[in-house]
Amino acid sequence: MSAVFGVPVSEGASSLRSRLQQADCVSSIGYGRGFSILLPWGQDIVNRLIQLFRDCLADAVLGEWHEWKPELLVDEAQYESEVGGIGGFESVFRLELGGRRWVLRPDGAVDGLRRARVVGQGSRAGSAFCVYAAHRDLRGSCTPLWRDRAIWPVMQLDIVAPVGGAEAVNGAIVAGMDRFFWTLGLPTRTVDMGSWKDYARRRLDWVLATERSAPTVLAMAYTVGDHYRSIVGVPEDREAFDVGLTAKPLATVVQLVGDGDRLVLPRAIRSEEHTSELQSLR
């Protein structure tokens, strides 16, 4: 049986998190899926995970990376006008502040696609990349990556490309995500889910494929459908893509990869400080 810091994976996430706290990897304060409050070398691991995602998806961007920082609050009326087609009304946290109604940001796709559309002009593809915390109410219906009240980090890449280059972009997304999971040592299968509600013409899921765990969706990529293309203002001669993943790959590595009673991370995301911490645990 796989073990992390001596804790069998079957003992569950609470025991796993407790042992990570004892090893000074994460603080005792935090919430949601993944590690939201990290000690310095824990944050460094997350930063390296983000950089790995950027490196592996570089070929899909076909140009300069454009980054943006999503705001926490989204206007309620704006949100409802954008998510009606995918049934997102009941899956958000709502609040009133300053005489206005807001929701805590549940995703960044529409804003990201708008930015990618503006960047991409003429024969160029446009991209928008962001890292943020997403908030979802568990009473609502959610896709597999979003079944938690608070999720951090969410890494989201949106691309708007000329139709003539769309096949190449899609191929680069698939190859890049395959390389991302291969580098992390996570065996995955790419599953074509077909169209999904009115958000996507096509949805691809990267699913963990190992005998030691149940199938788990680790990442998703969408070819955006007509409804959201019209909201964002994507012209007919452009194709829009939305690629996203959360801390699930990191949490999965932590659960599946161990060496006796030590946590062993893939070289791509571990640091010298992390290595020193591990040696001190012996």
Side-chain angles (χ1 to χ4, degrees):
M1 179 180 295
S2 177
V4 180
F5 288 120
V7 180
V9 171
S10 62
E11 288 189 27
S14 61
S15 296
L16 176 65
R17 185 177 180 84
S18 175
R19 189 59 69 91
L20 287 170
Q21 291 169 3
Q22 293 173 19
D24 290 332
C25 300
V26 297
S27 74
S28 59
I29 303 174
Y31 61 88
R33 177 175 294 133
F35 313 132
S36 54
I37 307 295
L38 293 157
L39 297 178
W41 70 264
Q43 178 64 61
D44 184 56
I45 292 171
V46 173
N47 290 341
R48 287 170 179 265
L49 185 74
I50 294 169
Q51 186 59 50
L52 177 63
F53 177 78
R54 288 177 53 112
D55 292 344
C56 290
L57 271 294
D59 289 343
V61 171
L62 301 176
E64 183 181 353
W65 281 79
H66 295 269
E67 298 190 20
W68 66 287
K69 185 176 179 58
E71 296 180 351
L72 174 63
L73 299 178
V74 180
D75 180 81
E76 183 183 62
Q78 175 189 340
Y79 171 75
E80 291 187 351
S81 70
E82 295 171 350
V83 303
I86 58 174
F89 296 101
E90 79 281 16
S91 64
V92 297
F93 292 103
R94 302 173 185 271
L95 68 156
E96 187 170 344
L97 185 66
R100 295 177 61 183
R101 294 283 299 175
W102 307 87
V103 299
L104 294 180
R105 177 171 293 279
D107 58 59
V110 172
D111 290 334
L113 287 166
R114 284 193 177 118
R115 285 167 168 78
R117 175 185 59 80
V118 172
V119 172
Q121 299 291 335
S123 61
R124 294 187 307 166
S127 68
F129 175 69
C130 61
V131 179
Y132 62 96
H135 300 80
R136 296 290 180 113
D137 187 340
L138 292 181
R139 293 172 298 177
S141 59
C142 298
T143 52
L145 279 185
W146 304 100
R147 291 174 184 161
D148 216 332
R149 288 185 175 87
I151 308 170
W152 181 88
V154 176
M155 289 163 271
Q156 195 154 8
L157 173 63
D158 295 296
I159 301 171
V160 175
V163 169
E167 185 175 347
V169 171
N170 187 70
I173 290 172
V174 172
M177 294 306 300
D178 288 346
R179 185 163 61 252
F180 175 83
F181 289 114
W182 178 85
T183 303
L184 292 176
L186 295 177
T188 59
R189 292 181 180 176
T190 307
V191 181
D192 190 336
M193 305 295 291
S195 61
W196 185 67
K197 298 188 176 181
D198 70 350
Y199 181 68
R201 297 175 180 175
R202 185 187 187 194
R203 168 180 149 189
L204 299 177
D205 289 0
W206 279 264
V207 181
L208 181 68
T210 171
E211 296 179 354
R212 292 188 290 169
S213 63
T216 302
V217 177
L218 298 178
M220 294 177 174
Y222 304 93
T223 303
V224 180
D226 291 339
H227 175 64
Y228 277 80
R229 288 170 57 91
S230 64
I231 289 176
V232 175
V234 176
E236 293 184 359
D237 64 345
R238 302 270 161 168
E239 194 69 90
F241 301 92
D242 176 31
V243 187
L245 71 157
T246 67
K248 258 190 173 183
L250 180 56
T252 304
V253 168
V254 169
Q255 288 182 309
L256 295 182
V257 182
D259 179 14
D261 61 351
R262 296 184 301 125
L263 175 66
V264 179
L265 294 175
R267 184 178 300 277
I269 60 173
R270 71 172 182 254
S271 64
E272 291 300 322
E273 188 174 358
H274 165 232
T275 302
S276 298
E277 291 279 354
L278 293 182
Q279 291 172 347
S280 70
L281 297 176
R282 292 180 177 177

